[in-house]
Amino acid sequence: MKTAALIPARFASTRLPEKLIQDLGGKTVIQRTYLSTLETGVFDEVWVVTDHELIQKQIEELGGKVFFSRKVHESGSDRIAEALSQVDAEIIINVQGDEPFQDKESLEELKKAFEDSSVKVASLYFKISEEDAVNPNFVKVVLNGQSDALYFSRSPIPFNRDKKEGISYLKHVGIYGYRREVLESFPTWPKGKLEELEMLEQLRLLERGIKIRMVETNHQAIAIDTAEDLEKAREFQKRLGKD
């Protein structure tokens, strides 16, 4: 199966303006994300899908492939679906543009999920504490017995009514794998009520009856949403000691 990584890279951002072009150890955030994705060696192709010429220029300076998005999109999955006209791959992995430190093992396991022909969409999760579960910026997921997602929420799920000990809370990692035909269809589906309420694009899939196979990872990705996140990423980049 030919596999491509598509990195949605919208220029505008709310909590940290122009976050993808902020400096991260001599390269920008989006350049770091592109390079770390490429360096995993997991993909046949790596593309950045952007709506801004500056991001396009920065990736092309690295010799990377860029699809320039001409439409306005509400989610990263909508954005990368537009690029399928130029991408020849059966499995598409949506790598978040603001997560500059990609993990080879996690991406390999995500790709491996598609060896099961019944899997149409897959994503990642890791275990978190009850204290972290109450943070609405952390998206939680609950699973069925086959490791398919039952629901995603910004609220702590499951609700621990009787205050039992040893409850597992699972944080969703916003990296998605799609079979091509599902991603092609995704933008044609209207947003459902749950997606509108939670502002979580993956709920559009669940509301359409599409199962999402969840794969556990130990890699806790650094997502850059705030100035504090950017400082953490800069410290981590220093520890890596890479150009």
Side-chain angles (χ1 to χ4, degrees):
M1 295 182 295
K2 188 173 181 181
T3 306
L6 271 63
I7 306 171
R10 184 169 67 98
F11 185 76
S13 53
T14 304
R15 284 183 284 178
L16 179 60
E18 302 179 0
K19 65 180 179 180
L20 294 184
I21 61 167
Q22 298 298 314
D23 178 71
L24 183 54
K27 291 183 173 64
T28 62
V29 171
I30 189 59
Q31 286 178 318
R32 291 290 182 194
T33 302
Y34 168 77
L35 289 171
S36 68
T37 304
L38 188 68
E39 288 166 2
T40 65
V42 172
F43 305 105
D44 297 293
E45 295 183 359
V46 178
W47 291 73
V48 171
V49 184
T50 188
D51 59 354
H52 201 278
E53 293 177 356
L54 184 54
I55 292 176
Q56 179 182 24
K57 180 174 181 290
Q58 290 181 353
I59 299 304
E60 289 178 344
E61 285 174 353
L62 300 175
K65 296 181 178 181
V66 180
F67 179 88
F68 197 86
S69 176
R70 301 291 179 181
K71 300 178 182 178
V72 176
H73 299 288
E74 294 194 22
S75 76
S77 294
D78 289 305
R79 185 174 302 282
I80 66 170
E82 186 189 348
L84 291 179
S85 61
Q86 290 190 21
V87 178
D88 178 24
E90 180 183 348
I91 304 300
I92 309 296
I93 307 297
N94 177 354
V95 175
Q96 301 299 317
D98 59 4
E99 295 186 3
F101 308 110
Q102 294 300 316
D103 176 61
K104 179 177 181 177
E105 183 177 352
S106 299
L107 293 172
E108 284 181 333
E109 289 300 312
L110 184 61
K111 179 180 175 181
K112 193 181 296 183
F114 290 94
E115 293 176 2
D116 180 344
S117 61
S118 70
V119 173
K120 304 299 182 185
V121 183
S123 194
L124 299 171
Y125 73 92
F126 60 83
K127 293 177 181 177
I128 58 172
S129 67
E130 185 171 1
E131 181 181 4
D132 284 339
V134 301
N135 186 341
N137 293 318
F138 292 171
V139 177
K140 279 69 64 176
V141 60
V142 288
L143 313 180
N144 67 14
Q146 289 72 50
S147 293
D148 294 323
L150 289 170
Y151 191 62
F152 298 86
S153 182
R154 298 185 184 279
S155 297
I157 52 174
F159 176 68
N160 188 6
R161 191 194 71 167
D162 297 327
K163 306 299 181 185
K164 294 180 180 179
E165 299 290 332
I167 302 298
S168 291
Y169 293 93
L170 311 178
K171 182 180 184 292
H172 179 223
V173 180
I175 297 176
Y176 303 94
Y178 294 96
R179 290 199 188 274
R180 184 185 185 93
E181 63 271 18
V182 175
L183 184 57
E184 286 175 331
S185 298
F186 187 86
T188 69
W189 299 333
K191 291 174 70 172
K193 292 181 180 179
L194 296 175
E195 182 183 2
E196 291 277 8
L197 284 170
E198 298 256 18
M199 293 302 294
L200 298 173
E201 64 188 282
Q202 63 270 39
L203 292 176
R204 193 183 316 179
L205 294 160
L206 296 188
E207 290 184 271
R208 298 287 300 193
I210 305 294
K211 293 181 179 180
I212 303 176
R213 178 63 48 83
M214 300 301 298
V215 178
E216 185 172 10
T217 178
N218 292 318
H219 176 68
Q220 300 191 19
I222 297 176
I224 299 175
D225 290 315
T226 66
E228 292 76 14
D229 295 334
L230 181 58
E231 287 307 312
K232 289 178 184 177
R234 286 170 173 164
E235 288 300 318
F236 186 77
Q237 182 67 39
K238 287 179 183 178
R239 293 197 297 272
L240 287 178
K242 296 172 65 177
D243 293 335

